[in-house]
Amino acid sequence: MIRKPVPLVLLPAMGCDGQLWARQIVDLGDIAHPELGDLSVDATLAGMATRVLAHAPPRFAVAGVSLGGYVALEMVRQAPDRIDRVALFGTRATMQTRPRTVGEQGMLATAPHADPMLTSIISGPVQTMADRVGIDVFERQQRALLARPDIEPAIAAVHVPALVAVGDRDRICLPADARALADRISHAKFHELRHCGHLAPLERPGEVTMLLRQWLLNAPD
């Protein structure tokens, strides 16, 4: 039986653009219609979620990294009937012990967080994305993230197949933080990526593609 491709909205991390998801956009093209959500304009997570929803298909799957993960949760809260499933990478369950300033968050986001060889491989693409996004957007996204509201209502709204994944060397969202999120979502699948930091789709593209393929193909419980 030929399976109809799934509409898939991909949300980047802070300071990133579509290059973060480049491999997944290509490698999932046989089972999905990927499109990138724009998180560069609005000053709040709610505004970002509203904008992405306004341009998204009537019903779709959504995957986000870090900032994109929080926006994905807010989208579920705003429009639970439109979202078929959700995948969250490097996303925390609470605001506790988060960086307290924009500068502190920025230092963590750009610090080496994987083995030296991997860091050298991704540093070029990360810098290129940051240059394209620009400092104004980066700072606006940081402030939106630091001012994010309690996400408990958004977590409670998730009643669709969910994937929660995190790098074992992520310094922004520790594995325990992501596991705590998975534990609060009914029947969520949890996965820890080895030798991986905060930008899993770029650092471990093949493994992330495999995870997303399984998540997209598995029928809802």
Side-chain angles (χ1 to χ4, degrees):
M1 182 179 69
I2 299 176
R3 188 185 182 98
K4 185 178 180 180
V6 178
L8 172 62
V9 174
L10 299 170
L11 304 177
M14 181 173 59
C16 296
D17 59 18
Q19 187 175 358
L20 178 65
W21 292 105
R23 276 282 301 276
Q24 290 74 40
I25 290 172
V26 172
D27 293 346
L28 294 172
D30 60 325
I31 63 169
H33 285 314
E35 60 182 69
L36 191 72
D38 185 2
L39 307 186
S40 68
V41 178
D42 300 280
T44 66
L45 298 189
M48 294 174 188
T50 299
R51 180 178 301 275
V52 175
L53 285 166
H55 294 88
R59 189 166 175 84
F60 58 94
V62 60
V65 180
S66 191
L67 171 67
Y70 300 112
V71 174
L73 285 170
E74 174 62 17
M75 290 167 62
V76 175
R77 188 191 69 80
Q78 290 187 18
D81 294 338
R82 292 183 58 192
I83 295 175
D84 180 67
R85 58 194 67 215
V86 60
L88 307 166
F89 292 83
T91 305
R92 302 169 59 93
T94 72
M95 296 183 291
Q96 294 178 353
T97 67
R98 68 184 183 185
R100 291 172 295 175
T101 68
V102 168
E104 193 175 2
Q105 174 78 12
M107 284 191 295
L108 280 173
T110 57
H113 46 259
D115 60 80
M117 180 174 293
L118 184 58
T119 300
S120 67
I121 292 171
I122 71 167
S123 60
V126 171
Q127 185 61 55
T128 299
M129 286 191 291
D131 291 342
R132 281 197 300 264
V133 169
I135 188 63
D136 290 343
V137 171
F138 187 70
E139 290 183 352
R140 183 161 58 246
Q141 291 176 336
Q142 286 179 317
R143 296 186 189 284
L145 190 57
L146 290 168
R148 67 186 183 270
D150 181 10
I151 62 172
E152 176 61 34
I155 296 173
V158 179
H159 300 292
V160 295
L163 167 67
V164 178
V166 66
D168 64 347
R169 300 185 182 183
D170 193 331
R171 296 174 59 189
I172 298 174
C173 174
L174 301 179
D177 298 326
R179 186 176 289 278
L181 175 60
D183 288 344
R184 293 172 62 184
I185 299 175
S186 179
H187 305 299
K189 306 293 186 183
F190 176 79
H191 184 84
E192 186 172 313
L193 298 105
R194 299 292 303 276
H195 306 295
C196 181
H198 194 55
L199 301 179
L202 184 63
E203 297 177 50
R204 289 289 180 260
E207 189 173 358
V208 169
T209 294
M210 178 194 70
L211 290 172
L212 291 180
R213 182 174 291 275
Q214 293 172 347
W215 165 73
L216 288 167
L217 292 176
N218 286 343
D221 294 333

